[in-house]
Amino acid sequence: MSADNKISVLIIDDSAFMRKMIADLLERDKRIRVVEKARNGRDGIEKIKKYKPDVVTLDVEMPVMNGLDALRKIMKETPLPVIMVSSTTKKGADNTLEAMSLGAFDFITKPSGAISLDIHKVQNELIEKVTAASNVRPVQVRSHENQRHPVIRKRQPPVTLVRTKIVAIGTSTGGPRALQTVLGNIPRDFPYPILVVQHMPPGFTKSLSERLDGQAQIKVKEAEHGEIIKRGIAYIAPGGYHLKVKKLGSSVVVHLDDESDTVNGHRPSVDVMLTSLATLPKTRVISVILTGMGSDGTEGIKSLKRNSDVYVITESEETAVVYGMPRAVVESGLSDAVTNLDHITNELGQH
């Protein structure tokens, strides 16, 4: 934090217009001060060392040194929270997911291409993510592989007789890397279907599912309307759609909804998915709440606790990039087990 207690931000973008627009948007919030702007990755790295900002916004596509190359160098030399500024193209989505795996804190999308005259549409999202990023401890930007956290469990009543078990995962900021760890550790013969809500805009969830599918032993795909969910497959809710489920005979089918309002500012919403699961008879739900801002998922878990047989796992504060969504569940007294990322897959197999 800078001497005036404001969040200091460095903006890296090859467009002078975009640099000015992003700076103007950020400085509308009195908590934020833009300390400098840079025109490409190389220029940005030099200015990071000089100005030591709290947070960096980094354009993905730039000449001289692009955003991914710059991010690799930043994470190696001067690790700090980086928010990627991405286009909504397939290539932009793929590059953004690569940036998440390299340690970027989060991303925003330019609403209408490289030069977005309507960048003001993402003002609130940008400010929210910059302020959240400023509170991230440096260790959380890096790998958590060497961290260990004991599993803290509540005493559980006996499991009732059920015909179906479904795993439901909800996450937001930091989610792509967390999902890479959790889904990547699941064995090929995993006996339950997995439903996933990751807060992301349309287009990005397709790239996410393809990326995770290439890294996991199980199949990972973007969920499709009307498909029957099957064990050993992880279904990612498409951006812009709520993921719901319906009973069809002895099967459970996906119902995608792009007409209902956003919930907690999101579509897909974790609450919507979990509340829908609570309507299924004779079903045990293993719910996992990973890193993310806000409290999406808490109300859905309340519904599951009232109506279903549910076991709730929350990611620990030690490994969560943002301990918002897990904290809300824990502080509501709804979590049955609190653990770090490396232990979550083991928990899934035991319940």
Side-chain angles (χ1 to χ4, degrees), residues 144 147-154 178 181-182 185 286-291 311-323 326-327 329-330 335-351:
H144 308 300
Q147 297 187 23
R148 288 294 178 266
H149 187 277
V151 181
I152 303 171
R153 297 189 184 94
K154 289 183 182 177
T181 298
V182 174
N185 288 337
I286 305 167
S287 179
V288 183
I289 302 298
L290 301 175
T291 173
Y311 187 79
V312 179
I313 303 167
T314 47
E315 183 180 355
S316 68
E317 185 172 6
E318 282 75 9
T319 62
V321 173
V322 179
Y323 192 57
R327 182 199 300 274
V329 174
V330 170
S335 180
D336 298 307
V338 179
T339 187
N340 72 354
L341 281 176
D342 291 339
H343 289 154
I344 284 174
T345 303
N346 288 337
E347 280 292 293
L348 293 178
Q350 295 177 32
H351 300 280

Side-chain angles (χ1 to χ4, degrees), residues 89-140:
T89 63
K90 177 69 166 67
K91 180 182 178 184
D94 290 344
N95 285 339
T96 300
L97 267 297
E98 174 68 12
M100 298 297 103
S101 73
L102 292 171
F105 173 77
D106 208 337
F107 71 97
I108 63 161
T109 55
K110 296 177 179 179
S112 54
I115 308 298
S116 287
L117 300 177
D118 54 354
I119 189 72
H120 63 273
K121 290 180 178 177
V122 298
Q123 176 183 336
N124 292 340
E125 179 187 5
L126 177 60
I127 289 171
E128 180 185 36
K129 290 181 177 180
V130 165
T131 53
S134 71
N135 293 316
V136 174
R137 294 174 300 196
V139 70
Q140 288 181 300

